[in-house]
Amino acid sequence: DNPIQRKPDWIRVRAPNHPVYHETRALMREHKLVTVCEEAACPNIGECWSQRHATMMIMGEICTRACAFCNVRTGQPEALDAGEPGRVAEAVAKLGLRHVVITSVDRDDLRDGGAAHFAAVIGAIRTAAPGTTIEILTPDFLRKPGALEVVVAARPDVFNHNLETVPRLYPTIRPGARYFQSLRLLDDVKQLDPTIFTKSGLMVGLGEQRLEILQVMDDLRVADVDFLTLGQYLQPSVKHAAVDRFVTPDEFADYAGMARAKGFLQVSATPLTRSSYHADEDFVALRTE
Ligand code: SF4
Ligand code: SF4
């Protein structure tokens, strides 16, 4: 008897068996890279990797936080690997990506939260793959003064930081994080460099109410956030937060419509939307509009 709820029909995931999927996998292994696609057991891995879209996760596989929805291991992380920026950049160049998303674990153990490492990765990608636009999905740099400035100065094209859920659910779903800190981080990015696009995302189906989601959208717009993603939360294992309910495709369409009306430039709101899902197409489409 599996206590993880049965998924509805609209959550369909194709098995990964495309030849390019295996090529992408081999490249990640060869460069000793960690991907959030695997770490988060992302349901889109078959589709994304078949198109060489992999989201690399830097600064190790062990996180100093323990978010209730996340499949990444919690513990004392290892020292930073100085060779990582070069290996990430080489992989990006080999994949031939138009747009890449780089994320990381949270490194509360480091004095700068890993900001300088993020900047080094951005710099290395710019050198190895000058035509690739760079999106970073960062931790909140809580209690790391000066860290954000270092990352922004490296000039990513898109700065993404997920609010993940509504403020009421932070104590249970995102303990260790602070809603207003995350919001302020996004606001600060825009203040520091208005040419950087900002982006955030939420998971739904964790027990939030519709009006709470609409309020978060308003908060994000007040912080001048440009792009929004909304996707269904899926429970990675029985040890993680349970799914409260499966939000229907119609409800996602309603959220998408509301988000567009509120002025987000790019909105992705479907059951299988993830922060990095189709990020390349969305961003390239925006730039050529
Ligand atoms: Fe990886 Fe993002 Fe695609 Fe999931 S949606 S497989 S995390 S690139
Ligand atoms: Fe997972 Fe990020 Fe939370 Fe760490 S900070 S547990 S990687 S969601």
Side-chain angles (χ1 to χ4, degrees):
D1 191 22
N2 184 353
I4 293 189
Q5 292 122 293
R6 232 186 122 239
K7 296 181 183 70
D9 293 346
W10 62 78
I11 309 248
R12 271 187 214 285
V13 180
R14 261 173 290 152
N17 58 5
H18 194 280
V20 177
Y21 166 89
H22 295 287
E23 280 173 35
T24 304
R25 192 166 182 274
L27 188 72
M28 294 304 141
R29 295 290 178 281
E30 184 196 324
H31 290 75
K32 298 189 180 62
L33 297 174
V34 179
T35 66
V36 73
C37 319
E38 290 171 291
E39 296 295 315
C42 181
N44 302 317
I45 193 165
E47 180 189 339
C48 289
W49 284 28
S50 303
Q51 297 163 44
R52 299 190 169 83
H53 301 161
T55 296
M56 284 156 255
M57 196 171 87
I58 58 173
M59 304 199 276
E61 287 173 272
I62 302 172
C63 186
T64 49
R65 301 269 176 93
C67 303
F69 55 87
C70 178
N71 204 35
V72 173
R73 218 165 0 124
T74 303
Q76 179 59 45
E78 287 176 12
L80 289 178
D81 173 356
E84 187 173 59
R87 293 200 312 278
V88 169
E90 205 179 304
V92 171
K94 282 192 185 160
L95 288 165
L97 301 175
R98 292 177 300 183
H99 183 78
V100 67
V101 185
I102 304 288
T103 189
S104 79
V105 288
D106 194 295
R107 295 294 304 254
D108 289 321
D109 59 310
L110 301 174
R111 205 185 321 173
D112 73 346
H117 195 79
F118 250 111
V121 169
I122 293 169
I125 297 172
R126 288 280 185 235
T127 305
T132 305
T133 48
I134 303 173
E135 173 170 336
I136 54 168
L137 170 60
T138 75
D140 59 13
F141 300 115
L142 188 63
R143 293 183 280 273
K144 303 293 177 194
L148 183 66
E149 287 76 0
V150 169
V151 180
V152 169
R155 307 208 55 216
D157 296 280
V158 182
F159 192 112
N160 185 352
H161 175 64
N162 287 329
L163 292 184
E164 310 285 12
T165 188
V166 300
R168 179 175 56 85
L169 298 178
Y170 265 53
T172 46
I173 300 300
R174 220 186 154 208
R178 303 284 175 270
Y179 179 77
F180 285 106
Q181 162 77 19
S182 285
L183 200 57
R184 175 168 297 270
L185 186 88
L186 290 158
D187 193 41
D188 286 347
V189 173
K190 264 288 191 251
Q191 306 272 345
L192 287 165
D193 187 345
T195 67
I196 297 177
F197 289 101
T198 50
K199 173 170 171 178
S200 191
L202 296 164
M203 301 168 295
V204 294
L206 282 162
E208 73 289 333
Q209 301 290 318
R210 179 175 182 271
L211 282 178
E212 290 179 302
I213 294 285
L214 299 185
Q215 178 66 59
V216 172
M217 287 184 195
D218 287 337
D219 292 348
L220 286 168
R221 288 302 298 136
V222 169
D224 226 353
V225 170
D226 300 301
F227 309 157
L228 179 72
T229 60
L230 285 182
Q232 170 70 48
Y233 167 67
L234 298 174
Q235 188 183 19
S237 87
V238 291
K239 287 181 286 183
H240 293 88
V243 173
D244 176 67
R245 69 186 192 93
F246 288 97
V247 176
T248 66
D250 282 351
E251 289 172 281
F252 274 104
D254 164 61
Y255 281 142
M258 294 302 290
R260 287 195 187 95
K262 287 176 190 293
F264 289 100
L265 294 175
Q266 285 287 348
V267 176
S268 176
T270 70
L272 287 179
T273 291
R274 295 296 178 264
S275 207
S276 47
Y277 188 51
H278 291 186
D280 59 330
E281 289 155 41
D282 289 348
F283 190 61
V284 170
L286 181 81
R287 302 233 308 172
T288 52
E289 258 167 27

